[in-house]
Amino acid sequence: RHKFWETQPVGQFKDLGDSSLPEGPIEPPTPLSEVKQEPYNLPNLYEWITCNMDSDEMCSEVYNLLSNNYVEDDENMFRFNYSKEFLRWALRPPGYFKSWHIGVRAKSSKKLVAFITGVPARVRARDSVVNMAEINFLCVHKKLRSKRLAPVMIKEVTRRVHLENIWQAAYTAGVVLPTPISTCQYWHRSLNPKKLIDVGFSRLGARMTMSRTIKLYKLPDSTATPGFRKMEPHDVPAVTRLLRKYLSQFLVAPDFDEDDVEHWLLPKVDVVDSYLVESPETHEITDFCSFYTLPSSILGNQNYSTLKAAYSYYNVSTTTPLLQLMNDALIVAKQKDYDVFNALDVMQNESFLKELKFGPGDGKLHYYLYNYRINHIMRPSELGLVLL
Ligand code: YNC
Ligand code: MG
């Protein structure tokens, strides 16, 4: 059934529910001298390249491949449109390896036709902190689909990860593969309901008029929480402490240090936004919320070409109720002209989704680990990890 995935060190469907298998690495590391030294073979017309994301030209090539060929919804109405600045941010975190930004191009035309990336991350699974690769942006040009190029891309990134003495990986996908550690759902909160309905992202509810719908999703003009403000560079140590403590309750979560927080959470225009609550009395940082910016191209609409979407990232509440904190996040997203605010049902998100008028999306998002067994299927609320 899964000719490729059956050969890989991942949880196999036949082992689901077998709690006699030990949690942890499925295979031990091999000596580095035994890792294959040469790249895997590609069909003759193609060659491997390492993509230098410092270069504007390379970033544009990657951007063009993805904006035309990356993930679409089931009805092919929308396609992710990650910006160049976002790709730069996503691919150059602390300690990143250039060799993990892998392209395939046609030898004759030099055109980029496929891409896959990894970035390093420390991920905690129960009590173990594991050095992993987070794999993302696997893309094969539409004209080269179903030719078994994806397994070659995956084997090549695996080889290059192994060369850095890293043996585990985390990734998410909309498709079911052997075997999800958890299956999550996206929820959507309309900020600009008229546009969302006009472009076919959402539908007018039964017995609803457009004006009632606009009223239903109306938000206050300004945030409600005293001391709510944008995160600044001097907040990095306090946010790191707050986030580390919060994430410790989940079964799988990133192990962020201050460098990670500076990279992943300090605000970057049109890439990532972070807000926190500083107590007006004690000046303590008590709460935190963040979202990243990922527009989608709207395919074949006369009036609109892009949907501006915010995606809930990491949120921590200790003093401000999470519901109020997230309502303030919706208010700033609305002020910044986002059309929709998306959130997965991970961490404690279920506690605010329905009350804040998020509706369930249709697609699922499956979370996977490579070469690491987790002995039960986790509930989304046990997951403390958000991948881009
Ligand atoms: C996928 N998304 O099952 P079997 S998510 C992993 N992730 O293998 P072909 C996938 N595997 O079942 P196509 C996958 N999609 O026979 C398909 N597969 O064992 C498997 N779409 O290959 C599939 N991006 O080349 C099958 O398929 C085999 O031409 C078939 O190419 C697939 O980034 C794809 O959705 C996805 O660009 C490239 O459809 C193409 O269809 C495409 O014949 C639009 O492949 C964009 C899209 C995927 C987004 C993502 C995470 C990727 C994770 C990859 C796995 C990483 C493993 C860990 C490596 C490091 C290890 C260490 C240490
Ligand atoms: Mg293919």
Side-chain angles (χ1 to χ4, degrees):
R1 286 251 13 262
H2 288 284
K3 271 279 166 263
F4 169 65
W5 281 110
E6 280 167 11
T7 68
Q8 298 298 299
V10 292
Q12 297 296 332
F13 292 126
K14 64 177 174 50
D15 301 330
L16 269 178
D18 183 346
S19 47
S20 71
L21 295 166
E23 279 205 357
I26 296 171
E27 299 181 339
T30 51
L32 282 182
S33 60
E34 286 171 27
V35 178
K36 190 166 140 46
Q37 291 300 306
E38 327 72 43
Y40 282 89
N41 289 324
L42 281 171
N44 241 312
L45 298 173
Y46 302 96
E47 63 189 13
W48 296 111
I49 57 168
T50 292
C51 297
N52 175 7
M53 299 302 290
D54 301 340
S55 141
D56 277 336
E57 293 71 35
M58 184 52 83
C59 266
S60 296
E61 285 187 58
V62 169
Y63 171 81
N64 288 333
L65 174 73
L66 296 180
S67 63
N68 290 306
N69 299 278
Y70 201 50
V71 177
E72 299 179 9
D73 66 305
D74 291 338
E75 278 132 49
N76 311 104
M77 295 174 70
F78 309 99
R79 184 162 58 233
F80 283 148
N81 184 19
Y82 288 91
S83 70
K84 285 183 220 178
E85 272 318 297
F86 189 109
L87 293 168
R88 278 224 161 86
W89 170 70
L91 295 177
R92 298 188 307 173
Y96 79 93
F97 300 100
K98 205 177 263 182
S99 60
W100 295 6
H101 303 158
I102 308 173
V104 171
R105 63 181 176 195
K107 282 179 183 165
S108 58
S109 67
K110 303 290 175 200
K111 195 174 134 87
L112 186 68
V113 297
F115 192 59
I116 190 168
T117 68
V119 293
R122 290 179 314 284
V123 176
R124 182 181 51 75
R126 256 185 253 279
D127 298 329
S128 312
V129 176
V130 183
N131 288 319
M132 293 198 191
E134 290 176 352
I135 307 298
N136 204 349
F137 305 114
L138 168 60
C139 182
V140 168
H141 193 286
K142 288 188 176 204
K143 295 199 164 148
L144 293 177
R145 296 279 170 87
S146 306
K147 298 177 187 295
R148 310 300 297 181
L149 198 54
V152 187
M153 306 291 298
I154 294 167
K155 284 190 278 187
E156 181 60 13
V157 76
T158 302
R159 189 184 71 82
R160 296 187 191 194
V161 170
H162 287 168
L163 286 172
E164 303 299 340
N165 199 22
I166 293 175
W167 306 89
Q168 271 75 35
Y171 49 103
T172 56
V175 293
V176 179
L177 306 164
T179 304
I181 59 161
S182 189
T183 294
C184 302
Q185 204 178 11
Y186 269 112
W187 289 65
H188 309 285
R189 206 299 183 179
S190 299
L191 301 174
N192 186 355
K194 176 155 190 326
K195 175 171 169 183
L196 295 178
I197 290 168
D198 285 351
V199 303
F201 183 88
S202 39
R203 274 197 294 260
L204 210 51
R207 291 176 301 281
M208 285 289 278
T209 62
M210 188 62 84
S211 57
R212 278 193 66 201
T213 305
I214 291 168
K215 199 171 150 202
L216 175 68
Y217 292 115
K218 212 165 170 49
L219 286 159
D221 288 326
S222 52
T223 58
T225 310
F228 186 91
R229 63 165 173 85
K230 213 176 182 40
M231 180 186 178
E232 295 171 21
H234 71 265
D235 297 315
V236 165
V239 168
T240 305
R241 271 180 267 127
L242 187 70
L243 192 59
R244 286 186 65 82
K245 178 157 187 217
Y246 180 76
L247 291 176
S248 69
Q249 70 186 294
F250 302 105
L251 288 179
V252 171
D255 182 63
F256 281 146
D257 65 17
E258 291 186 6
D259 292 340
D260 299 319
V261 167
E262 173 174 328
H263 179 82
W264 292 120
L265 295 170
L266 255 195
K268 236 179 209 62
V269 176
D270 292 339
V271 172
V272 62
D273 282 88
S274 297
Y275 292 82
L276 49 72
V277 182
E278 174 179 347
S279 159
E281 292 87 32
T282 66
H283 297 285
E284 224 193 320
I285 308 302
T286 55
D287 312 276
F288 176 82
C289 63
S290 59
F291 55 86
Y292 62 85
T293 298
L294 168 50
S296 278
S297 303
I298 304 172
L299 308 175
N301 185 281
Q302 300 295 305
N303 302 317
Y304 298 103
S305 62
T306 60
L307 198 66
K308 191 172 175 193
Y311 285 75
S312 173
Y313 198 28
Y314 291 96
N315 309 307
V316 182
S317 105
T318 71
T319 305
T320 308
L322 187 58
L323 192 98
Q324 181 181 327
L325 189 69
M326 294 311 296
N327 201 52
D328 281 346
L330 294 176
I331 291 166
V332 297
K334 175 70 193 176
Q335 286 170 348
K336 290 176 175 252
D337 209 36
Y338 289 83
D339 298 313
V340 62
F341 192 103
N342 299 327
L344 288 163
D345 52 0
V346 297
M347 295 183 268
Q348 296 175 325
N349 291 357
E350 284 205 293
S351 71
F352 64 76
L353 292 170
K354 284 183 179 155
E355 275 201 56
L356 293 181
K357 302 173 185 167
F358 286 72
D362 29 26
K364 298 251 190 280
L365 187 69
H366 308 279
Y367 276 73
Y368 302 95
L369 295 178
Y370 185 93
N371 195 24
Y372 201 92
R373 189 184 289 108
I374 296 279
N375 252 328
H376 76 290
I377 302 183
M378 294 166 39
R379 294 187 293 272
S381 60
E382 295 177 303
L383 252 184
L385 180 65
V386 178
L387 301 178
L388 303 172

